[in-house]
Amino acid sequence: MIYYVMLLGASFLFGSQFMVTKSFEKNCGKTLLSSIEFSVLYSLFAGVIFLTIKFIGSGFTFTPDPFSLLMALGLAVVNILSGAAGLKTLSLGDIAVYSLFMMLGGMIVPFVAGVLFLHEKASAFNIVGLLIMILALSLPVLFKKKDEQTAEQIDEKGEENDGKSGKKGSFLFYLLCSMLFLLNGFSSTFSKFNSVKGGALGAEFTVYTFGIQFVLAGITYVIMRLFFRKENETPVILKPKAIGCGAAFGAINGTAFLLSSIAAENIPAVAQYPLITGATIIFSSILAAIIYKEKPTKIQLVQIVISFAATVLFMF
């Protein structure tokens, strides 16, 4: 029982990560440069936390292998791209939908990749669950509600417009959500392949990932600052709120990873991933409603309920 409680705790923390990302977007901007700065900050703090976990667990003994480093490189690149797309996405729409696409991508893509490349068997329940998830993600396209159309006539200042900007924003939001669906799916797939192929596991693999991410994001940041530098501009990376968000994201991610890793040793993967996915979707929606007063639409509520029900089918 205690391990399921730990898994729920990890899911709550994973859902909290989206609140931190939203906070960074609101306080520090949604530009490409600010997303790179966020990537530098949280990869630094998360790397230090995981390095500490690694030291406590097994000391500073590392056994890197080419395949693990390649998977860590892929994961680092995906993290940077997800950060860039994520900030812009959160500026256009709700956290509930954002987290829905992220979490379902992290479950569906590695599942399909496992069937195609690792020859894993899919049960009839898995297939039905997959189809239901696809249906849930398609609901906004299949149903265009009147209140959403009305919302498109109102801009951010509360003034009426011709509706074109709203339609463009909605299209871009779901386009970015689809991109994040794939990116988070690739992230889970890289981790899964590394685990299946016997690469470095746990904190060691995560140290590689965040170490590489910190270097790549740092180099990208320096280059961008050289070409897009503005006079008398304080870099976001030096602002207290940005540092706080980076530290919070790293701490939350590190704690969630630790809890889920301990629970994973005692809970079958077939139950672990659906539980994390479903619980994170629900927690992120509740937290968004409480913290940012985001009220999900009826379609979004239906999406969340259907998606949660579909994740249960992956347990069979």
Side-chain angles (χ1 to χ4, degrees), residues 8 22 26 28 37 50 53 109 132 137 140 144-145 147 149 151 199 208 229 251 272 275 277 281 305:
L8 287 175
K22 179 70 173 181
K26 291 174 68 70
C28 304
E37 290 174 301
F50 283 115
I53 294 174
V109 175
I132 293 176
L137 295 177
K144 192 67 175 177
K145 303 197 311 355
D147 58 344
Q149 293 174 335
Y208 296 153
R229 184 178 182 179
Q272 178 191 358
L275 181 57
T277 299
I281 291 172
V305 172

Side-chain angles (χ1 to χ4, degrees), residues 226-265:
L226 290 175
F227 286 96
F228 301 101
R229 184 178 182 179
K230 296 181 180 180
E231 294 294 333
N232 302 320
E233 179 186 38
T234 302
V236 171
I237 202 171
L238 297 179
K239 294 181 179 180
K241 288 184 178 180
I243 296 174
C245 286
F249 193 97
I252 291 173
N253 183 276
T255 305
F257 172 82
L258 181 61
L259 291 175
S260 60
S261 296
I262 296 174
E265 296 178 359

Side-chain angles (χ1 to χ4, degrees), residues 144-192:
K144 192 67 175 177
K145 303 197 311 355
K146 292 182 179 180
D147 58 344
E148 287 178 334
Q149 293 174 335
T150 301
E152 289 174 350
Q153 308 298 321
I154 308 299
D155 61 18
E156 293 181 353
K157 295 181 181 179
E159 300 175 348
E160 292 188 1
N161 56 47
D162 59 4
K164 292 181 180 179
S165 61
K167 291 177 182 177
K168 289 180 180 178
S170 178
F171 173 78
L172 180 58
F173 173 68
Y174 282 103
L175 179 63
L176 289 172
C177 280
S178 299
M179 183 186 302
L180 288 168
F181 174 92
L182 293 174
L183 287 173
N184 201 46
F186 290 149
S187 174
S188 298
T189 301
F190 286 138
S191 297
K192 179 175 182 174

Side-chain angles (χ1 to χ4, degrees), residues 5-297:
V5 174
M6 295 175 69
L7 208 56
L8 287 175
S11 300
F12 176 80
L13 292 174
F14 283 132
S16 301
Q17 287 183 167
F18 302 133
M19 308 306 115
V20 177
T21 304
K22 179 70 173 181
S23 177
F24 185 91
E25 178 266 320
K26 291 174 68 70
N27 292 288
C28 304
K30 57 187 178 183
T31 65
L32 178 60
L33 181 59
S34 63
S35 72
I36 297 298
E37 290 174 301
F38 184 52
S39 184
V40 171
L41 287 170
Y42 88 74
S43 61
L44 172 62
F45 284 107
V48 171
I49 291 173
F50 283 115
L51 188 62
T52 302
I53 294 174
K54 174 68 172 64
F55 174 72
I56 294 175
S58 58
F60 284 119
T61 302
F62 292 89
T63 56
D65 65 88
F67 184 78
S68 289
L69 293 177
L70 180 62
M71 293 296 100
L73 173 62
L75 192 52
V77 172
V78 166
N79 286 344
I80 295 173
L81 293 176
S82 294
L87 291 182
K88 180 63 177 178
T89 305
L90 287 172
S91 71
L92 296 171
D94 295 337
I95 295 176
V97 181
Y98 166 83
S99 64
L100 179 70
F101 275 79
M102 287 279 286
M103 296 309 299
L104 292 187
M107 183 174 176
I108 293 175
V109 175
F111 167 74
V112 174
V115 173
L116 294 178
F117 301 107
L118 301 177
H119 306 294
E120 295 179 345
K121 294 183 178 180
S123 69
F125 289 103
N126 297 154
I127 301 299
V128 173
L130 178 61
L131 294 176
I132 293 176
M133 287 181 179
I134 294 175
L135 173 64
L137 295 177
S138 304
L139 286 179
V141 179
L142 298 175
F143 297 93
K144 192 67 175 177
K145 303 197 311 355
K146 292 182 179 180
D147 58 344
E148 287 178 334
Q149 293 174 335
T150 301
E152 289 174 350
Q153 308 298 321
I154 308 299
D155 61 18
E156 293 181 353
K157 295 181 181 179
E159 300 175 348
E160 292 188 1
N161 56 47
D162 59 4
K164 292 181 180 179
S165 61
K167 291 177 182 177
K168 289 180 180 178
S170 178
F171 173 78
L172 180 58
F173 173 68
Y174 282 103
L175 179 63
L176 289 172
C177 280
S178 299
M179 183 186 302
L180 288 168
F181 174 92
L182 293 174
L183 287 173
N184 201 46
F186 290 149
S187 174
S188 298
T189 301
F190 286 138
S191 297
K192 179 175 182 174
F193 279 16
N194 177 73
S195 176
V196 171
K197 296 297 183 181
L201 300 176
E204 181 175 349
F205 178 67
T206 312
V207 169
Y208 296 153
T209 299
F210 283 119
I212 295 173
Q213 180 178 335
F214 177 74
V215 172
L216 292 179
I219 293 174
T220 304
Y221 171 71
V222 171
I223 294 174
M224 292 186 69
R225 285 290 296 178
L226 290 175
F227 286 96
F228 301 101
R229 184 178 182 179
K230 296 181 180 180
E231 294 294 333
N232 302 320
E233 179 186 38
T234 302
V236 171
I237 202 171
L238 297 179
K239 294 181 179 180
K241 288 184 178 180
I243 296 174
C245 286
F249 193 97
I252 291 173
N253 183 276
T255 305
F257 172 82
L258 181 61
L259 291 175
S260 60
S261 296
I262 296 174
E265 296 178 359
N266 299 276
I267 297 177
V270 69
Q272 178 191 358
Y273 291 111
L275 181 57
I276 288 181
T277 299
T280 300
I281 291 172
I282 292 177
F283 282 133
S284 61
S285 300
I286 294 174
L287 289 171
I290 295 174
I291 298 174
Y292 294 110
K293 310 303 179 183
E294 292 186 359
K295 296 182 179 180
T297 64

